[in-house]
Structure formats: structure tokens, C-alpha cells
């Protein structure tokens, strides 16, 4: 996909790095995913995005499609993409099951220790959870639990979560905005 094809749709895209053309088909021109099973990238920390792209590139994070895409990215491409998507606004997906939000808020204590009271972590190497797509969020918790995705702290948190707990957390974080407590 050509960047020029989108430049008339969003003035910020004209400043986008050339490598963004490989991302917009799935993650959108502004970092808003076209599928709730994929992450929104807009407003994520650049350090986190760069770490994840490098993990896909070197195979430590598994996803056939993302490994293929990231495999062709240089360090400069990754840095440029990470900065570009970090500069886009956060999109609040609010696509979790509304009846589970209260339960998710009650279960979020462990999450808040690292990811902040409002879904924004203090460490730029950790993901922003506020507003993330619920289906993607729950799938990532399941991946940590099954050890398909590796992070020691996340394994400890996810090991006892049931799928219904993951769905509740996903519902809560999908609707969380920066101005909520």
C-alpha cells in the first residue's frame, strides 16, 4: 500500500515514514485497528512499539504475519514507525462486554501496579492498556497464560486467570479513558 494513497485522508500521514505503508492495512493510518482482534497502536509508547517490532523481527514474539512484516524492517524503520504511531491519538475502543466492566475494574488491581490507575504505565517499555481492543487484550492475556508470549511478571499475573476473568479485564480496559480513575 502506498503512503501517497492515504495522504489526502490525514495531513499527519504526509509526515509518516515510508514503512508505515506496511502497517496501515491492519492497524489503520492513525493507529486504529480495522479488526478488534488486532491492537490499536495510536498513542502507545514508542519504546514499547519498538521493542515489540524487534521481538517480531527476531522471532521472540510469535505471529506469522507480523514476523514476516517486521522481518523486513531496519532499526531505523522500527524507530520511525514507533515514533509515528506513538504521536497518534489514543483511540478508546470501548468494545468489551459492557456487563463485565465492573468485574474487570474489581480484578484490575494487579494490572494497576504496573500499568497505572488509568491504564498508562510509568515505564515506556510497557503497553498502554486504556482503550485497547477487548478481543486483542483478552487474547494477549491468554497468550501470557499459555506461555505463547513470555514476560515473567505477566506469567505470574495471568497464570490463575480464567477466560471469563480475561474478558472482564478486557472489557474494563477497552472503555477506560485517561480522565477516569
Amino acid at each position: 500500500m502506498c503512503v501517497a494513497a492515504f495522504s489526502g485522508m490525514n495531513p499527519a500521514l504526509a509526515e509518516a515514514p515510508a514503512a508505515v505503508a506496511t502497517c496501515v492495512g491492519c492497524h489503520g493510518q492513525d493507529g486504529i485497528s480495522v479488526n478488534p482482534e488486532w491492537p490499536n497502536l495510536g498513542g502507545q509508547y514508542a519504546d514499547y512499539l519498538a521493542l515489540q517490532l524487534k521481538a517480531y523481527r527476531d522471532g521472540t514474539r510469535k505471529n506469522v504475519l507480523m514476523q514476516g512484516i517486521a522481518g523486513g524492517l531496519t532499526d531505523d524503520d522500527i524507530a520511525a514507525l514507533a515514533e509515528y504511531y506513538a504521536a497518534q491519538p489514543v483511540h478508546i475502543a470501548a468494545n468489551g462486554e459492557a456487563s463485565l466492566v465492573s468485574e474487570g475494574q474489581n480484578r484490575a488491581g494487579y494490572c494497576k501496579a504496573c500499568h497505572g490507575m488509568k491504564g498508562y504505565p510509568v515505564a515506556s517499555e510497557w503497553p498502554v492498556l486504556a482503550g485497547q481492543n477487548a478481543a486483542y487484550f483478552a487474547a494477549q492475556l491468554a497468550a501470557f497464560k499459555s506461555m505463547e508470549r513470555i514476560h515473567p511478571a505477566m506469567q505470574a499475573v495471568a497464570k490463575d486467570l480464567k477466560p471469563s476473568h480475561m474478558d472482564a479485564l478486557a472489557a474494563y480496559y477497552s472503555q477506560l479513558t485517561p480522565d477516569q480513575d
Side-chain angles (χ1 to χ4, degrees), residues 53 56-58 66-74:
L53 285 169
Y56 283 126
R57 185 179 66 187
D58 70 22
M66 284 301 303
Q67 286 174 286
I69 291 169
L73 298 174
T74 66

Side-chain angles (χ1 to χ4, degrees), residues 5-179:
F6 291 103
S7 63
M9 297 168 61
N10 178 356
L13 196 58
E15 300 170 20
V20 81
T22 62
C23 307
V24 297
C26 297
H27 297 289
Q29 63 179 348
D30 295 326
I32 301 170
S33 175
V34 298
N35 183 325
E37 294 181 6
W38 302 332
N40 289 325
L41 303 181
Q44 281 292 340
Y45 291 133
D47 290 341
Y48 174 74
L49 292 172
L51 286 171
Q52 298 312 303
L53 285 169
K54 288 176 182 177
Y56 283 126
R57 185 179 66 187
D58 70 22
T60 56
R61 184 165 177 194
K62 309 289 185 204
N63 178 289
V64 174
L65 180 60
M66 284 301 303
Q67 286 174 286
I69 291 169
L73 298 174
T74 66
D75 285 346
D76 288 343
D77 290 337
I78 288 173
L81 286 169
E83 290 296 329
Y84 172 76
Y85 278 114
Q88 302 306 310
V90 171
H91 171 73
I92 307 304
N95 57 6
E97 177 61 44
S99 65
L100 298 176
V101 170
S102 181
E103 177 187 347
Q105 182 176 12
N106 290 333
R107 292 189 177 281
Y110 284 121
C111 306
K112 290 176 181 180
C114 294
H115 295 281
M117 297 301 290
K118 298 178 181 185
Y120 286 81
V122 295
S124 63
E125 297 84 10
W126 301 338
V128 172
L129 302 183
Q132 191 53 262
N133 281 322
Y136 172 77
F137 188 102
Q140 295 314 297
L141 287 174
F144 283 119
K145 182 175 181 162
S146 71
M147 298 192 66
E148 174 186 327
R149 192 168 171 194
I150 304 295
H151 188 282
M154 287 304 301
Q155 259 75 55
V157 169
K159 69 181 172 69
D160 295 325
L161 292 177
K162 297 177 182 174
S164 62
H165 302 158
M166 295 176 196
D167 290 341
L169 286 165
Y172 170 65
Y173 279 104
S174 81
Q175 58 78 46
L176 193 63
T177 63
D179 59 339

